[in-house]
Amino acid sequence: MKNFLLFYKSSSISGKISMLMIALVFFVAVFGTAFSRHSAFVPSDSAFVPPNTEHLLGTDDLGIDLWAQICEGAKLSLTIGIFSALLSGIAGSFIGIICGYYGGFFDKFVMRVSDILIAIPSLPLMIVMGVFFGAGIQNIIFVLAVFSWTGPARIARSKVISLKTEKHVLVAESYGAGIFYLTFRHFLPEIFPVVMVSFIRLVNRGIVSEASLSFLGLGDPTAKSWGLILNHAISFKGIYFTDFWKWWLVSPFAAITLTVLAISFIARDAEKFLDVKL
Amino acid sequence: MRIFRKRIPEYLITLFAIITLNFFIPRIMPGDPFTFVSSEENSVSTVYTDEEVARLKAYYGLDKPLPEQYLNYLGNTLRGDFGYSIYFNDTVLNLVGGRIVYTLPIAISSLLLSCLLGCLIGCMSAYKRSGIFDRVSYALITIFSQIPSFLIGVFFLFFLAGKLGWFPLSGAMKAFATYESGFEKLRDILYHAFLPVLTLTLAHIGEFYLLSRNSMISVLSKDYIVTARAKGLLKKRVLYVHALKNAMLPIITRLCMSLGTIFGGAVLIENVFNYPGLGTLMRQAITYRDYTLIQGIFLFFAFTVLVMNMIADIIYGKLDPRVEL
């Protein structure tokens, strides 16, 4: 908590605004559906009601309240972003630590696999896997994690390789410290800041990938995702000739853009604060 | 050449792994082209009778044991035979070939444009570091490069094409048009390709800008630049002849490496603008669960990326003799 306050104080104005923005998105994601008076799934008024006090962001072509849909979308985006980043961050760090510490055949094998994963264009494969596995949230998180663990793994590996030869680690080893002790006592505290920055970036990557997939209509068709709202709005026949875009198109567009920008500003400030260069 | 002994086997292993992955993904997943799985689980609606499914599976070789299917697939792929599309009644090679003529020009021209513009702005930024131009362009470009490319595409599509009507809403050419001259046809093609290329260019300008700016800043602090300036050479000459030549190294390798990511971006952008390239074909293939076509497109993407990475490796080795490959 103290560290967080220090980070908040040290960050730039854009970083502070971004943190407030993300706090707002969090709040909306957690409590938004409880506060909104209408369902995000059932029509509650006639179609295309402009924003008013009853419907903060108006309604869409089926008369479903848009504010409630945006809240649902925030929940989905944050869940996918955070869990995919957590999964790949944790798995990647431990794989990286094992590779860096033991080296040898396992290390070579893992590095080769990560080379292959980096060489494969990720979006096409993600589309293919997402569609075949089914478009549930867990599947999207899993597919994202499969592609993202290589980043943290490489960072952790190179850090451990240099740490391995440091004197304090050698001393600990000579007292009989095993890999578990070394990992939690010496490696993780050193790796944490670097992996933290890459974690924030991975959250962003998850949110963008989910939005792209659901914008293509390849996400879960029943989930209220920002990308899917955008997809419905832009493929609506009359969108160019009416004023509906002012709330229907703008609200998911603004939600994605602001969230993604805010997270990237926070990542930039965190990079400066933790003094790491990725 | 050392590189050929050391790197080529690595690329071959990667290619082999991709082909294997490509074979197994569709087969471990639920649903097949003959039984469409509806959105509700466990409810399978079949359009064929059991006998027809068995006949079709035998026809496509899907009834054989998995190892045999795998060996067949490997052999066919290596011979350049990617099979027939199940839905489109044509060979995968023909379909991919028919669409690649739209995707490749878009991808390559936006790659070159973003590299050119990014380097130009990057050089000017680096020359007067922390000046007004540098600060404004740095802030603008870092913000823009964070916005997902399909959102930029939607923005252009809605305002420039939809609201203002300056550009077409979809397609690569005017439907059913007859052209009086080749020039007119070219104009129509460029007119349709403009927005997709612009979007992709904007999406990739950031990486080239940052790369060339950093590279230029480190080169500009070298002694030979001071000498060149002391000789009284023009600013342009110092910047674009003396400095750029040495700052180009990382940029050229990035150019080759980026072709892969730009293909990924093109898949999205083509779908935004309904441009009839490989990306839209891929989306169609997925809706029809067209195994062979999906595999073919994906394999094509992966193969192109691998070749480009290999070229990047070779070029880098040639340009910078210090690199031990």
Side-chain angles (χ1 to χ4, degrees):
Chain A
M1 200 60 215
K2 214 181 91 194
N3 283 336
F4 181 76
L5 280 178
L6 276 176
F7 173 49
Y8 183 78
K9 269 188 197 142
S10 78
S11 47
S12 58
I13 296 178
S14 58
K16 280 175 185 156
I17 297 174
S18 303
M19 268 183 259
L20 289 178
M21 172 77 204
I22 292 303
L24 189 75
V25 176
F26 255 104
F27 184 78
V28 158
V30 178
F31 300 110
T33 36
F35 283 147
S36 58
R37 276 168 290 179
H38 305 285
S39 162
F41 300 95
V42 190
S44 50
D45 207 329
S46 47
F48 306 121
V49 176
N52 55 27
T53 45
E54 178 70 16
H55 299 281
L56 284 176
L57 295 173
T59 60
D60 67 2
D61 58 336
L62 298 172
I64 304 175
D65 186 53
L66 266 171
W67 170 250
Q69 293 192 46
I70 294 288
C71 292
E72 279 292 319
K75 208 189 280 178
L76 191 76
S77 288
L78 283 186
T79 316
I80 287 178
I82 289 175
F83 278 98
S84 65
L86 262 184
L87 197 61
S88 49
I90 293 174
S93 314
F94 281 109
I95 293 174
I97 290 174
I98 294 172
C99 281
Y101 188 71
Y102 288 115
F105 175 75
F106 180 71
D107 178 36
K108 275 210 183 100
F109 176 74
V110 170
M111 283 302 115
R112 189 98 294 262
V113 170
S114 85
D115 276 348
I116 292 174
L117 280 178
I118 288 170
I120 296 175
S122 63
L123 188 80
L125 186 57
M126 228 181 304
I127 292 173
V128 174
M129 285 175 81
V131 165
F132 279 109
F133 271 126
I137 296 183
Q138 310 94 311
N139 294 333
I140 292 180
I141 291 175
F142 172 74
V143 171
L144 275 170
V146 166
F147 274 102
S148 314
W149 63 269
T150 52
R154 274 167 189 267
I155 296 167
R157 176 177 173 269
S158 62
K159 204 85 180 155
V160 167
I161 286 178
S162 70
L163 274 175
K164 208 161 60 164
T165 52
E166 298 255 334
K167 289 211 175 81
H168 64 280
V169 175
L170 288 177
V171 170
E173 269 181 339
S174 71
Y175 279 121
I179 178 145
F180 279 103
Y181 181 82
L182 286 176
T183 298
F184 287 100
R185 188 80 180 75
H186 294 291
F187 294 155
L188 279 185
E190 291 279 334
I191 292 168
F192 184 74
V194 205
V195 170
M196 194 61 207
V197 174
S198 109
F199 170 80
I200 301 175
R201 295 203 184 284
L202 287 177
V203 172
N204 233 0
R205 184 179 168 175
I207 291 176
V208 171
S209 305
E210 190 276 329
S212 317
L213 284 181
S214 56
F215 175 75
L216 285 178
L218 302 173
D220 186 351
T222 56
K224 291 289 169 193
S225 139
W226 289 339
L228 197 64
I229 305 173
L230 202 62
N231 176 353
H232 283 321
I234 199 83
S235 47
F236 179 70
K237 291 274 186 308
I239 195 78
Y240 301 110
F241 314 113
T242 53
D243 276 343
F244 306 152
W245 63 272
K246 281 180 188 160
W247 59 93
W248 194 11
L249 196 68
V250 166
S251 48
F253 193 97
I256 304 176
T257 315
L258 290 179
T259 310
V260 168
L261 278 183
I263 295 178
S264 71
F265 281 139
I266 294 176
R268 190 200 54 196
D269 281 353
E271 214 168 80
K272 262 182 221 150
F273 177 70
L274 299 167
D275 194 25
V276 288
K277 197 82 206 127
L278 286 184
Chain B
M1 289 285 275
R2 258 181 69 111
I3 168 178
F4 285 109
R5 254 183 297 132
K6 192 149 181 315
R7 298 291 284 185
I8 299 274
E10 285 182 12
Y11 280 111
L12 285 180
I13 293 173
T14 312
L15 186 65
F16 181 72
I18 289 173
I19 293 176
T20 309
L21 189 72
N22 204 12
F23 172 81
F24 279 107
I25 288 175
R27 281 169 176 78
I28 56 172
M29 291 169 188
D32 68 48
F34 312 118
T35 54
F36 270 97
V37 178
S38 71
S39 56
E40 288 156 66
E41 268 172 47
N42 301 327
S43 72
V44 177
S45 59
T46 320
V47 281
Y48 295 108
T49 61
D50 284 352
E51 290 79 32
E52 276 175 322
V53 170
R55 195 174 55 81
L56 283 169
K57 282 199 168 165
Y59 179 74
Y60 288 109
L62 292 172
D63 57 340
K64 295 192 180 106
L66 220 51
E68 199 184 329
Q69 283 187 41
Y70 178 65
L71 285 181
N72 277 341
Y73 177 72
L74 204 63
N76 287 339
T77 307
L78 291 180
R79 260 183 276 128
D81 174 11
F82 297 101
Y84 282 86
S85 156
I86 294 171
Y87 184 82
F88 287 98
N89 292 326
D90 201 351
T91 59
V92 170
L93 217 56
N94 277 345
L95 283 167
V96 170
R99 298 299 188 100
I100 192 69
V101 292
Y102 293 106
T103 301
L104 215 55
I106 285 196
I108 289 180
S109 57
S110 47
L111 187 65
L112 291 178
L113 268 177
S114 59
C115 179
L116 216 67
L117 287 175
C119 290
L120 200 70
I121 305 173
C123 286
M124 293 201 281
S125 242
Y127 191 73
K128 282 238 170 82
R129 205 180 158 194
S130 317
I132 289 190
F133 180 81
D134 180 37
R135 262 189 261 164
V136 170
S137 58
Y138 186 80
L140 276 183
I141 287 178
T142 40
I143 289 176
F144 265 104
S145 61
Q146 293 298 331
I147 300 177
S149 57
F150 75 97
L151 284 185
I152 301 177
V154 167
F155 182 81
F156 284 148
L157 179 72
F158 188 77
F159 285 104
L160 300 187
K163 280 284 165 193
L164 297 171
W166 291 353
F167 295 98
L169 284 168
S170 67
M173 270 187 255
K174 210 181 277 169
F176 310 116
T178 45
Y179 300 102
E180 282 167 12
S181 61
F183 177 72
E184 205 178 323
K185 189 175 175 186
L186 184 73
R187 221 190 62 165
D188 194 40
I189 291 174
L190 288 179
Y191 177 59
H192 279 79
F194 186 81
L195 281 187
V197 170
L198 180 67
T199 312
L200 272 178
T201 306
L202 283 181
H204 283 265
I205 215 168
E207 52 178 305
F208 287 109
Y209 169 77
L210 288 178
L211 195 67
S212 64
R213 184 173 171 271
N214 289 343
S215 173
M216 215 43 180
I217 284 173
S218 69
V219 168
L220 281 178
S221 63
K222 296 266 161 66
D223 286 342
Y224 56 83
I225 297 295
V226 180
T227 314
R229 274 196 197 153
K231 284 197 297 191
L233 294 178
L234 281 176
K235 173 188 154 188
K236 255 192 242 160
R237 195 171 164 79
V238 175
L239 201 56
Y240 295 114
V241 179
H242 287 79
L244 192 60
K245 206 158 100 189
N246 292 297
M248 271 319 267
L249 216 68
I251 298 168
I252 287 173
T253 25
R254 178 61 71 90
L255 196 65
C256 297
M257 306 279 257
S258 283
L259 199 67
T261 43
I262 218 157
F263 269 139
V267 171
L268 261 174
I269 300 304
E270 276 175 10
N271 279 303
V272 173
F273 292 102
N274 238 320
Y275 199 80
L278 275 180
T280 36
L281 184 69
M282 187 167 195
R283 189 175 167 189
Q284 287 169 343
I286 281 165
T287 10
Y288 302 126
R289 296 206 178 249
D290 195 334
Y291 276 8
T292 41
L293 188 53
I294 298 173
Q295 284 180 317
I297 296 173
F298 174 67
L299 203 61
F300 173 79
F301 277 133
F303 185 69
T304 320
V305 172
L306 275 189
V307 170
M308 282 300 138
N309 284 1
M310 198 163 81
I311 292 175
D313 261 355
I314 295 172
I315 290 179
Y316 202 78
K318 285 244 188 248
L319 288 182
D320 192 349
R322 288 167 299 182
V323 178
E324 271 287 315
L325 280 164

